[in-house]
Amino acid sequence: MNYNHLGTSALRVSEIGFGCMSLTLDQAYSSQLLRSAFEQGINFFDTADLYDQGQNEILVGAALRDVRSKVIIATKVGNQWRSDGSGWDWNPSKAHILQAVEHSLRRLGTDYIDLYQLHGGTIDDPIDETIEAFEMLQQQGKIRYYGISSIRPNVIRAYAERSNATSVMMQYSLLDRRPEETCLPLLEQKQISVLARGSLAQGLLLGKAPQAYLGHSAEQVAKAAEVLQQVAGHQRSAASATVRWVLQKPAVASAVIGIRSEAHLHEALAAGHAKALIHEELTTLRQTVPALRYEQHR
């Protein structure tokens, strides 16, 4: 497994990250998956206070407690559950963040969070207040670093210019090349790392029945899957090839893959060990799938 620095921080994250949202609440099975991932080189585990109303954090924290100093735990904040449990509301206020971190620390069973991320965001948020909350928590030692999870160029630009964010988690795949227009170049310039999610494009590149995706027609998706399979050849699986595509962008530090089963873990680890795509293969894939652009939140 290869490891990359997250931005300019002291964190070195495995280039395959474990997306914990997909875990079932079967504690024994999910704990075994988490431990197996750690033992095979994955050190980055991403959860959120929103997932399973905090139960996901509890599960992750318990499974990794005795190897806490050897793993990097990331969680997220900003979505506040309503008292009646009927749903959640967006709340990026300083008061909420300072309160929510205490709950996440308790659920994770730790006294610090390696990476605390804003779980969304709009350009109309009190951004400076949100940043102030993260900076305060960093000074207090409750979090080591902070970042955001967003696909909105205007929000990403605001945090890149006004904060000390270490990372941005965003959707990026062969079928979603929108970040290439402005986001990836900006973040590379600012030395802010990308944590890529959705690298497998909902399985549409891996044999799932083709359907329209973002601005691509079902026919275009089918063609992309066909060419990807050809590029993968006998040396890699299609899943490994599409993950390698994502990882070969300089700004990307880790591909965070949702893992729910042993099969998913095996596939993710295989991608981590797969041979890099060569220039000709990258060119072929670029020519097959056009890079679209974000139409909103520019």
Side-chain angles (χ1 to χ4, degrees):
M1 182 69 66
N2 294 320
Y3 299 85
N4 298 311
H5 274 290
L6 197 64
T8 58
S9 78
L11 302 178
R12 293 186 71 242
V13 298
S14 50
E15 64 177 8
I16 301 299
F18 195 124
C20 300
M21 182 178 73
S22 301
L23 289 170
T24 71
L25 291 178
D26 181 334
Q27 186 167 353
Y29 183 75
S30 292
S31 294
Q32 185 273 328
L33 272 182
L34 290 162
R35 292 306 296 250
S36 181
F38 166 73
E39 289 162 4
Q40 295 180 78
I42 293 177
N43 76 343
F44 182 76
F45 299 85
D46 179 74
T47 180
D49 60 4
L50 183 67
Y51 303 159
D52 299 315
Q53 298 192 32
Q55 291 301 307
N56 195 270
E57 287 183 323
I58 293 173
L59 193 158
V60 170
L64 301 174
R65 191 154 300 152
D66 64 336
V67 291
R68 178 67 186 92
S69 64
K70 299 177 181 179
V71 297
I72 296 168
I73 294 179
T75 192
K76 309 183 195 76
V77 65
N79 294 292
Q80 184 174 19
W81 280 99
R82 299 180 193 129
S83 57
D84 61 3
S86 62
W88 61 86
D89 300 302
W90 178 239
N91 188 352
S93 70
K94 178 179 178 181
H96 173 64
I97 292 170
L98 296 182
Q99 180 183 59
V101 73
E102 302 296 341
H103 299 308
S104 286
L105 288 167
R106 186 179 68 252
R107 286 190 293 261
L108 289 165
T110 184
D111 55 5
Y112 68 96
I113 292 165
D114 296 288
L115 180 67
Y116 205 34
Q117 303 159 99
L118 185 67
H119 201 174
T122 76
I123 201 63
D124 297 319
D125 290 344
I127 292 174
D128 290 327
E129 178 183 322
T130 302
I131 294 170
E132 185 179 338
F134 284 129
E135 293 282 350
M136 181 180 294
L137 292 175
Q138 195 172 31
Q139 291 165 9
Q140 294 172 348
K142 293 179 180 179
I143 68 173
R144 295 179 68 190
Y145 301 97
Y146 67 90
I148 65 169
S149 176
S150 178
I151 62 170
R152 298 182 173 188
N154 56 3
V155 173
I156 291 169
R157 190 162 52 247
Y159 279 89
E161 293 172 352
R162 292 155 63 178
S163 80
N164 293 307
T166 291
S167 62
V168 174
M169 178 173 282
M170 65 170 67
Q171 180 170 294
Y172 179 52
S173 72
L174 182 60
L175 286 180
D176 186 1
R177 296 178 58 196
R178 295 176 297 175
E180 294 177 11
E181 183 194 1
T182 61
C183 293
L184 294 185
L186 171 65
L187 295 173
E188 184 179 359
Q189 176 194 349
K190 296 286 188 178
Q191 295 183 283
I192 298 172
S193 286
V194 171
L195 298 168
R197 61 175 178 81
S199 304
L200 302 180
Q202 299 177 0
L204 291 172
L205 294 168
L206 311 180
K208 185 177 177 180
Q211 63 186 47
Y213 184 75
L214 299 174
H216 303 295
S217 67
E219 292 75 19
Q220 288 174 315
V221 169
K223 178 63 175 176
E226 177 187 347
V227 173
L228 180 70
Q229 190 65 59
Q230 293 169 0
V231 166
H234 300 296
Q235 300 180 19
R236 330 171 187 86
S237 66
S240 292
T242 190
V243 172
R244 296 318 309 181
W245 159 272
V246 167
L247 288 171
Q248 284 177 237
K249 286 295 180 184
V252 177
S254 183
V256 182
I257 300 174
I259 297 174
R260 187 181 181 88
S261 66
E262 289 283 358
H264 291 160
L265 177 58
H266 176 77
E267 187 176 77
L269 290 167
H273 297 297
K275 185 179 179 181
L277 299 173
I278 61 174
H279 176 74
E280 290 77 11
E281 293 169 332
L282 291 168
T283 299
T284 296
L285 292 173
R286 279 194 212 98
Q287 292 173 343
T288 301
V289 184
L292 304 178
R293 66 200 296 269
Y294 290 111
E295 297 300 330
Q296 298 178 314
H297 311 293
R298 298 183 61 81

